[in-house]
Amino acid sequence: MSTKNPTGERTDKNTKGEEPRKHFIEEIIDRDRASGKHGGRVATRFPPEPNGYLHIGHAKSICLNFGLAAKYGGTCNLRFDDTNPSTEEMEYVESIQKDVSWLGFDWEDRRFFASDYFEKFFELAVDLVKKGLAYVDSSDMDAIRKKRGDYNTPGQKSPYRDRSVEENLDLLGRMRAGDLEEGTAVLRAKIDMESPNMNLRDPIMYRIRKASHHRTGDKWCIYPMYDFAHGYEDAIEGITHSICTLEFENHRPLYDWFLDNVAPLASRPQQIEFARLNLTYTVMSKRKLLELVQGGDVSGWDDPRMPTISGMRRRGYTPKAIRDFCDRIGVAKRDSMVDVALLEHAVREDLNETSPRVMAVIDPLKLVIENYPEGEEEWFDAAYFPDAPGRGTRKVPFSREIYIERDDFREDAPRKWHRFAPGQEVRLRYACLVKCERVVKNDKGEVVELRCTWDPKSRGGTSPDGRKVKGTSHWVSARHALKAEVRQYDRLFDKENPLAGEGDYKGHLNKDSLGVIEGAVVEPSLAQVKAGDRVQFERIGYYCVDSEDSAPGHLVFNRTVTLKDSWARIERNLEKDTSASGSGKRGQNRPKAKAEGNAEENAAEESGDQITIGTFAKVDLRVGIIRSAELVEKADKLLKLMVDIGEGRLRQVFAGIRSAYPEPASLVGEKVIVVANLKPRQMRFGLSEGMVLAGGGGTERLCVASFDGELEPGDKVS
């Protein structure tokens, strides 16, 4: 394992075969290297605080920092910012190391702790005191907060601000020796109590904490604040580019102040901020995640519904899928909300390539083949990857009694129902054709068994006389079935932004986020599966063997992700209902799509349906620049656009505007308006990640909504 990871080498090309546009951090590094800054060296770090488990937001930072180091032939340190002993534990240190390694990255011999530098930090603090740039404040915390002021009111100087250097050194020594109690004194930097930047109003450098540290024990009873330690850690380790999330942007002047007012250290790092990852249907505050754990809303940090890396690993997400997702969302300067459907899409893409197909029945209904000899059995060949039989096969047993999915039967079948119903013939996957002859019910009138006949000449699933059988069902032989517990996981929250609006975010917990099914059955080839093995249950979804509770004789499978995004489908239907109720009959006064037209093209052309004022208020409109445009082969209406909306990557958008732009190159460079928060949609031609607004009507030619001006990609349009 090394930092030379797939995420470090950008191999994706745009539609013209060119290298993708670099994000702003890469541009900064390129300029630094060209000027000879740091001797052309690149050194980054990933600096988690060991007070919780890492989540998907941390994965973005991990991929960015280790990826940049790999791309530029540099180094990336793993550093634990362990400056708060009351919240930090070795359990978290170990889990963080496991997560970073699992994602595919290696810090080699560069694992550091802030606690490695406690003595050095204290020396630097003493130096600042001697220079008259720091003082011990004996005010209580309430007084300090009140005198700090706010954004409209300048701060007031502490009555202890002008203590002599000698008195400050004496008090600081007594703080370290444990002579002073918690809350009676802090060490503050002496900067500017009237600064418009609140972080520069004499920030606290050290506070007293008489708590045992997970590494240093009781050696220290004063601990540095993160803002004080952060820059010094970077400088001591020789970091060149200190990459932080956007909430630290206002802390940068303080970062620089601390570095500028001590003797030069190993390097002079530059702090650079990028937008943190915000994901729909998710909370990623470690404090709130801890509340969910401690409140029993989830089973632990590794609950498969949690956005933690350990939870995603247990659920069945792959390192590659997470890395691909982080690469796909790009690096931006502006905060935005990423649709969780894009993460699920990345997971499906990888699992589709790597997960062997097997058969399982979640809700079994017994089917008896009356003309199959009792006591006999036969075994059929079944491919693990039907589209690539060379990747392996297994034998699946077949017998007189089998289980099918209860949902595959309808006693009163609707029109175009092709699965089991009285008198209907169905193909059993890999096996044969069977016909439902009659239904057996219990005293309550519930269907408990189907009685069927089979065509012995249809072994393998083909009819000897060429008759067409449209329906195919999966199944498991009753005699050979293995019992399994199946955990049907879904999103933890039922609201797109659980933190928005009034009320407790826990009020938006999805009551259907976990369904446990005890009576599922699976084919016998799964008898030897190991914890963490991933499979696709044919026609159902992707599943992973649970790493905690599964054992031989008690198989437990966690649903990783469905085969299709049921939530997106439900929401599309709701949007259609809203559109219909808000503007009259849906589709009124609009030309109907030709029957022979491609449904995806029509959907791309008319994907918005009719948008009401209420719906329009919910969309996120962003400035975009079209970087490339091309025709879509075998699609008469579509253009494929690669659009820059300031995310450090290009979004792929399919737009039904080909008739208006027969020469797509004319669109390149146009500033357009992009609906940035639509659900990513998998089309036959690829993934479409938004909508470019276009208009026209009557005799007017359809054209994209474009404009000139000073707005930059990613700027919000209102």
Side-chain angles (χ1 to χ4, degrees), residues 451-614:
R451 290 281 171 161
C452 301
T453 56
W454 78 309
D455 181 354
K457 296 180 180 180
S458 67
R459 283 181 172 85
T462 58
S463 56
D465 56 5
R467 66 185 183 274
K468 291 184 178 180
V469 177
K470 294 183 178 180
T472 299
S473 287
H474 60 280
W475 54 277
V476 172
S477 169
R479 185 192 306 172
H480 306 86
L482 303 176
K483 292 183 178 179
E485 177 183 318
V486 173
R487 298 173 180 174
Q488 304 283 62
Y489 288 105
D490 210 326
R491 296 169 184 171
L492 185 56
F493 293 92
D494 59 13
K495 184 178 181 181
E496 189 170 89
N497 185 355
L499 302 179
E502 300 292 330
D504 184 2
Y505 72 99
K506 287 190 177 184
H508 303 298
L509 285 167
N510 177 16
K511 62 181 177 60
D512 297 319
S513 63
L514 171 60
V516 179
I517 299 170
E518 301 281 359
V521 293
V522 299
E523 65 175 67
S525 70
L526 294 171
Q528 304 303 318
V529 291
K530 303 182 296 296
D533 283 353
R534 305 176 186 91
V535 296
Q536 183 198 107
F537 288 166
E538 292 205 48
R539 299 180 58 238
I540 300 175
Y542 294 100
Y543 288 78
C544 178
V545 181
D546 187 73
S547 57
E548 296 296 323
D549 300 328
S550 189
H554 180 66
L555 295 175
V556 179
F557 291 91
N558 299 328
R559 183 170 69 187
T560 306
V561 68
T562 58
L563 292 180
K564 294 183 179 180
D565 190 345
S566 58
W567 278 67
R569 185 170 61 251
I570 291 169
E571 289 181 346
R572 282 199 300 271
N573 290 338
L574 288 174
E575 288 170 3
K576 291 175 183 177
D577 292 342
T578 302
S579 178
S581 63
S583 57
K585 186 176 179 181
R586 177 174 169 265
Q588 189 175 6
N589 299 325
R590 292 167 58 196
K592 294 182 179 179
K594 294 180 181 179
E596 66 272 16
N598 183 285
E600 287 188 336
E601 292 181 60
N602 294 327
E605 185 177 38
E606 304 176 354
S607 57
D609 291 313
Q610 291 192 5
I611 300 177
T612 66
I613 294 297

